[in-house]
Amino acid sequence: QVQLVESGGGLVQAGGSLRLSCVASRSIFSIALMGWYRQAPGKQRELVATIAGGSTNYVDSVNGRFLISADNAKNTVYLQMNSLRPEDTAVYYCNARNRPLLGSPWEEWGQGTQVTVSS
């Protein structure tokens, strides 16, 4: 498995930008899927973006504003968030999911980082 440490959250005004980072304890090159989720108070956790095999996907509400990327040399996945809106306010979580050839499938979560967007 892998340990994930997230950072980059904070307070930002509407229209501003933040970049979240997820640093893994080992190489992420062979991990099947890395993703970012978010959870606002009183709401269920929502998948925001994924990256796997060079392909990226986004939930409609962030498409065109957010970008997910990976730097394999730094064992880090990023979420660049632009044109932030108050409704983007949530705790953002990094997720890793893998099914290795040897061993059982596994999934790990980061601790979460708070993003607050003021109007």
Side-chain angles (χ1 to χ4, degrees):
Q1 297 186 357
V2 64
Q3 289 74 53
L4 307 173
V5 179
E6 303 167 6
S7 62
L11 293 167
V12 65
Q13 291 187 329
S17 298
L18 286 173
R19 188 179 74 163
L20 306 183
S21 299
C22 173
V23 180
S25 60
R26 67 165 178 84
S27 174
I28 61 173
F29 181 76
S30 62
I31 295 177
L33 185 143
M34 300 291 297
W36 287 95
Y37 291 72
R38 66 186 181 187
Q39 187 167 23
K43 296 185 177 181
Q44 65 183 12
R45 190 168 297 185
E46 173 189 35
L47 178 63
V48 177
T50 60
I51 183 167
S55 178
T56 59
N57 289 282
Y58 303 89
V59 68
D60 286 345
S61 61
V62 310
N63 193 34
R65 300 188 296 120
F66 291 10
L67 293 172
I68 187 171
S69 62
D71 187 336
N72 294 322
K74 296 182 178 180
N75 297 340
T76 302
V77 176
Y78 302 97
L79 185 67
Q80 178 67 46
M81 304 185 295
N82 301 315
S83 302
L84 283 163
R85 305 166 181 169
E87 53 263 41
D88 294 319
T89 295
V91 178
Y92 284 71
Y93 297 91
C94 182
N95 173 263
R97 184 179 298 175
N98 203 31
R99 186 175 183 176
L101 294 177
L102 298 176
S104 300
W106 55 262
E107 183 177 35
E108 290 289 344
W109 294 89
Q111 80 286 353
T113 185
Q114 176 71 48
V115 172
T116 302
V117 184
S118 62
S119 60

